[in-house]
Amino acid sequence: MASTKPESCPERLRCEEFKRQAVENPRFKILEEALQKLGCPLNFKNIDCEPCDSTASAKFLSESGKVVICQNNVRTLADVENNLIHEAVHAHDWYSFKTNIAYKRKV
């Protein structure tokens, strides 16, 4: 029995295509620009489609500045767009707080 490579599983391929489209969403573009000003590396390369054990649809990993889209829990482009924007807001909150703390320490 041949094994299916994770990169070629239908869920991953669908998620990757939706991700490609979602990063062009104007709401995401606004957040992406704001995140870059805060020093957050969130961009197409730091958004991964991965299988998740939980029922979550996406998660922001603050230690790496990465967003994981749970490929087994998203079904539509709207799912990916909404979850990506939601997690980008978490990233913005995280980096804003981190930036504000660093600024206050300098003052």
Side-chain angles (χ1 to χ4, degrees), residues 1 3 5-6 11 22 26 33 37-38 40-41 43 48 58 60-63 67 71 73 79 83 86 90 100 105:
M1 185 167 132
S3 65
K5 291 184 178 182
E11 288 177 341
E33 185 178 315
K37 290 177 182 175
L38 292 171
C40 177
N43 57 39
D48 291 333
F60 167 65
L61 306 175
S62 59
E63 61 278 357
V67 168
Q71 67 191 39
N73 296 332
D79 286 345
N83 282 287
H86 177 91
H90 285 305
N100 287 338
R105 286 184 181 153

Side-chain angles (χ1 to χ4, degrees), residues 14-25 27 69 74-85:
R14 180 183 64 224
C15 182
E16 289 290 340
E17 175 56 26
F18 288 158
K19 177 183 89 169
R20 187 186 64 72
Q21 294 176 52
V23 297
E24 298 302 321
N25 180 298
R27 293 182 298 156
I69 303 292
V74 293
R75 302 284 176 250
T76 66
L77 173 58
D79 286 345
V80 174
E81 285 177 329
N82 291 332
N83 282 287
L84 181 57
I85 290 165

